[in-house]
Amino acid sequence: MARARGALIVLEGVDKAGKTTQCARLVHALQQSGRPAEMMRFPDRSTTIGQLISAYLEKKSDLEDHTVHLLFSANRWERVYHASNNRGCRPLMKKKLEEGITLVVDRYAFSGAAFTSAKPGFSLDWCMKPDVGLPKPDLVMFLQLSPAEAALRGQFGEERYETSAFQRAVQQQFEELRKDSTVNWQVIDASQSVDDVHKSISSHSLHTVSAAQSLPLGELWK
Ligand code: Z5A
């Protein structure tokens, strides 16, 4: 009998919404309850492509806007199928999901589309295209936090994109993306305490982990 697959769960949101904190809490809680789970994050700065992205975000290098958008997407694709020693491709995300491991992912293609389309001259449609066909999340939780509340969590850092005006433009693009009813979006009030946000995220996730067991893994935006 085929093994029940894991769920693909994504956390999205603006700067300082608590995505990383909540991904770690959720993975820990799932593991404690006997459900295999692992965390992933994008950009994954550990790969060769990820290092190019990291240097760009840290303003150590400049990249043309279309080019860096495609690099962010390539950084996701390389974690779906990872080329290994010319012996073909070793699937990463897909294999783990098939093995019954739930993946909790800190940012995904939605950040890719929202951040680039917030730049002048980019349409959301163009920005979504390179990620069409990625493994489709079973659940995308958007951690909603106002710019004023985010500011209480500390100043913006030194990285590219960390300005109030750009983050507002990104919020608007996320709002557009959330109109897509083919994606299972849940908006979470991220202004609550860490524990209360976790409770809300856990409850959506447990439901999703059970439901995903009997559903095929979809393809994003197809
Ligand atoms: N990007 C892109 O352009 N294209 C793409 O395709 C992708 C990404 C995937 C990557 O940043 C940048 O790349 C990002 C988008 C762009 N640019 N921006 N802005 P990253 O992933 O390396 O870092 P980040 O995602 O920007 O992290 P973050 O937003 O700064 O943080 P967070 O993960 O949402 O929050 P946190 O680290 O869990 O918490 C932040 C602080 O708030 C921390 O001190 C916590 O202790 C505190 N916190 C967390 N929760 C709470 C609650 N509930 N109450 C009070 N305080 C809290």
Side-chain angles (χ1 to χ4, degrees), residues 12-22 41-43 45 53 56-57 68-69 72-73 75-76 106-113 115-116 119 131 143 153 156 159-162 166-167 190-195 197:
E12 288 281 8
V14 288
D15 209 46
K16 300 195 184 66
K19 300 174 293 298
T20 306
T21 305
Q22 294 297 336
R41 67 178 307 156
F42 293 108
R45 301 186 194 217
I53 295 170
Y56 170 82
L57 288 171
V68 74
H69 181 73
F72 272 112
S73 178
N75 184 232
R76 285 181 279 279
D106 187 352
R107 293 195 188 273
Y108 198 51
F110 312 97
S111 278
F115 275 77
T116 305
K119 296 179 179 180
D131 287 308
L143 273 58
R153 296 186 183 175
F156 283 119
E159 288 207 334
R160 212 178 282 267
Y161 303 149
E162 294 186 342
F166 192 71
Q167 294 287 329
S191 68
Q192 306 171 89
S193 71
V194 171
D195 282 349
V197 176

Side-chain angles (χ1 to χ4, degrees), residues 1 34 59 67 74 110 124 144 166 172 184 189 193 196:
M1 198 174 87
K59 300 184 195 162
T67 310
F110 312 97
L124 202 48
Q144 182 82 273
F166 192 71
Q172 282 171 6
N184 180 16
D189 176 4
S193 71
D196 286 344

